[in-house]
Amino acid sequence: MALSLGIVGLPNVGKSTLFNALTRAQNAEAANYPFCTIEPNKATVTVPDKRVDALTALVKPAKTIYATVDFVDIAGLVRGASKGEGLGNQFLANIRECAAIVEVVRCFEDENITHVDGTIDPLRDADTIETELLLADLETAEKRLDTLKKKSKFDKEMQKAAPPLEALVAHLKKGEPGSTFAVPELNEPFHQVWRELSLLTSKKFIYCANVDENGIGEDNRHVKALRSLADSRGCPLVKICARLEEELQALPENEQVELLESYGIEENGLENVIRIGYRTLGLASFLTAGPKEVRAWTFKQGWKAPQTAGVIHTDFEKGFIRAEVISFDDYMKYKSEAACRAAGVLRVEGKDYVVQDGDMMNFLFNV
């Protein structure tokens, strides 16, 4: 499983510049005019992981595979997008399958860079974006309700999904996001519909304040306003200077570190967004190491050993017998699986073991 993040925002707020910087793809045109991004941009990037680097240096495998993150950048949304204004609404389907949404909001003043609404107001911009996402969800839910009513005449089981779906439509019409809708627990037909809807407003949100070089340190008034909004909604906020991130990609690694340190920044934007994305979605990584491959695998925190084994292959989960587990620190201390076994730090865990971030795993199974 890979972390997937959809990038949304108004036109010309630095979305594509940020996308280029984060993905190093440089395939999303970035210019100073609205609707510069026409087609949705997609890129898969590796997750920086010093543990994988250390294991690679120690084991010297034939290949190294990092966990990955998928980024999707769509055209900017504007007020009235749900009614056909602008271009972004055409591509909302491209981010419905994303696990979380990164909402990019401009938080800097620059008279040389136009703003679609003429002035800088992060709260107004966030409201515009979220209203359009909600209206898109309402349209999706209403269409699904119409279809369901027709089909349920011949399917008694699906008739159970109609009342909660009607309640969802009413909920969205009140301006309430999908994330605050109480999904009935004991109604599997509706759960199926809910999964298929994949409402944008039911997803986790990460607010991204795009600042200029002067805003990297102390929060300016725009960032403070956006941070207050994010806090009120229980959402994380990441502050990034998209232009600086773009400049970093043209530098060798040692000069990148020096530039970041000059601004008092410990990690680049990619690492920051990924770290917050993992934390927001409750994700972690377990590790496997051998002469053929060192690899990081993404799983959900709280998963038990069989479910986690299924990340590698469904047969591993179906035929799970037990797991051999070594902590990353122990592996690095003793240098090999055999040495860890001899030192007594290799543990044998059963079906109830809750896998921890950084566990070195070896699954035994029989199908």
Side-chain angles (χ1 to χ4, degrees), residues 180-228:
T180 61
F181 181 69
V183 180
E185 294 183 7
L186 302 177
N187 190 326
E188 180 53 36
F190 179 72
H191 273 261
Q192 179 182 333
V193 172
W194 175 262
R195 289 190 294 268
E196 292 170 353
L197 287 174
S198 190
L199 297 179
L200 297 165
T201 58
S202 68
K203 300 182 184 300
K204 298 288 188 180
F205 272 71
I206 300 170
Y207 288 92
C208 179
N210 185 20
V211 301
D212 58 13
E213 287 84 349
N214 296 323
I216 292 175
E218 185 177 350
D219 287 355
N220 61 34
R221 62 187 179 91
H222 299 309
V223 175
K224 288 179 180 178
L226 189 63
R227 191 180 296 279
S228 178

Side-chain angles (χ1 to χ4, degrees), residues 110-234:
D110 188 334
E111 61 183 17
N112 295 316
I113 301 178
T114 59
H115 188 288
V116 68
D117 287 326
T119 58
I120 307 302
D121 185 339
L123 299 186
R124 176 203 60 207
D125 293 354
D127 181 68
T128 296
I129 293 300
E130 290 160 24
T131 297
E132 294 307 322
L133 294 180
L134 189 143
L135 290 173
D137 278 349
L138 176 59
E139 181 182 6
T140 299
E142 287 179 327
K143 287 181 178 179
R144 188 69 178 87
L145 180 59
D146 288 341
T147 302
L148 181 64
K149 286 180 176 179
K150 295 175 183 177
K151 289 185 177 180
S152 63
K153 294 178 181 179
F154 312 100
D155 188 337
K156 292 183 178 181
E157 192 65 16
M158 288 308 295
Q159 288 175 8
K160 299 177 184 178
L165 184 53
E166 290 175 339
L168 173 61
V169 169
H171 180 83
L172 295 171
K173 283 183 175 179
K174 292 177 182 177
E176 299 293 336
S179 58
T180 61
F181 181 69
V183 180
E185 294 183 7
L186 302 177
N187 190 326
E188 180 53 36
F190 179 72
H191 273 261
Q192 179 182 333
V193 172
W194 175 262
R195 289 190 294 268
E196 292 170 353
L197 287 174
S198 190
L199 297 179
L200 297 165
T201 58
S202 68
K203 300 182 184 300
K204 298 288 188 180
F205 272 71
I206 300 170
Y207 288 92
C208 179
N210 185 20
V211 301
D212 58 13
E213 287 84 349
N214 296 323
I216 292 175
E218 185 177 350
D219 287 355
N220 61 34
R221 62 187 179 91
H222 299 309
V223 175
K224 288 179 180 178
L226 189 63
R227 191 180 296 279
S228 178
L229 175 65
D231 289 344
S232 71
R233 296 180 177 175

Side-chain angles (χ1 to χ4, degrees), residues 282-331:
L283 300 178
S285 296
F286 72 89
L287 309 165
T288 56
K292 292 183 178 180
E293 175 184 286
V294 164
R295 184 163 183 168
W297 305 81
T298 303
F299 71 101
K300 275 274 195 180
Q301 290 182 354
W303 278 6
K304 294 183 178 180
Q307 193 173 10
T308 306
V311 173
I312 298 178
H313 197 285
T314 54
D315 284 349
F316 282 34
E317 180 176 6
K318 293 176 182 177
F320 178 87
I321 300 173
R322 63 182 182 274
E324 296 178 337
V325 186
I326 306 171
S327 75
F328 170 76
D329 289 340
D330 281 340
Y331 194 96

Side-chain angles (χ1 to χ4, degrees), residues 74-87:
I74 66 169
L77 296 170
V78 295
R79 190 175 293 107
S82 58
K83 299 178 181 177
E85 296 293 331
L87 297 168

